[in-house]
Amino acid sequence: QVDLVESGGGSVQAGGSLRLSCAASAAIYSSYCMGWFRQAPGKEREGVVVIDRDGDTDYADSVKGRFTISKDNAKKTLFLQMNSLKPEDTAMYYCAADLTVCSHFYRGARYWGQGTQVTVSS
């Protein structure tokens, strides 16, 4: 059983856009806090953005104004719209649910997806 399934990654040129999706089971989607994290080669996993059940969000400074997180409650799916992509956004992107602390600074979560690769070329 896979709890979180990401999709939508790919390769784009700088300035392009991608939309990531994360489909969750009903039980996991009811988590108070869900979010997106990323990990570039040779770097630690970092928080991109989190969203709580009330819709409050917390973005990393590096993506503010370019990335937007959203949820479709009917489809139990989390999205990440990424615009104005930069080469430094290249990473494996992970969806997470039931975060220990609902902040992009914290990386503790009970559930993780398998990741989807995003590659941005200059």
Side-chain angles (χ1 to χ4, degrees), residues 70-84:
S70 62
K71 299 174 71 176
D72 185 325
N73 293 333
K75 296 181 178 180
K76 296 180 176 48
T77 300
L78 184 71
F79 298 100
L80 182 65
Q81 178 66 45
M82 304 186 295
N83 299 327
S84 302

Side-chain angles (χ1 to χ4, degrees), residues 41-82:
K43 295 187 177 181
E44 291 189 348
R45 187 172 299 187
E46 64 175 1
V48 176
V49 58
V50 299
I51 184 168
D52 67 20
R53 199 179 294 157
D54 298 324
D56 293 328
T57 58
D58 178 33
Y59 288 87
D61 287 343
S62 59
V63 305
K64 280 182 181 177
R66 300 187 298 121
F67 291 11
T68 303
I69 191 171
S70 62
K71 299 174 71 176
D72 185 325
N73 293 333
K75 296 181 178 180
K76 296 180 176 48
T77 300
L78 184 71
F79 298 100
L80 182 65
Q81 178 66 45
M82 304 186 295

Side-chain angles (χ1 to χ4, degrees), residues 1-5 23-31 76 111:
Q1 178 182 350
V2 180
D3 299 315
L4 295 168
V5 180
S25 65
I28 292 175
Y29 189 80
S30 65
S31 301
K76 296 180 176 48
Y111 303 101

Side-chain angles (χ1 to χ4, degrees), residues 92-122:
M92 185 71 79
Y93 282 71
Y94 297 90
C95 173
D98 199 8
L99 275 63
T100 306
V101 178
C102 205
S103 166
H104 78 273
F105 289 110
Y106 294 90
R107 293 169 288 177
R110 183 174 181 183
Y111 303 101
W112 291 91
Q114 81 286 355
T116 185
Q117 179 67 38
V118 171
T119 303
V120 185
S121 58
S122 57

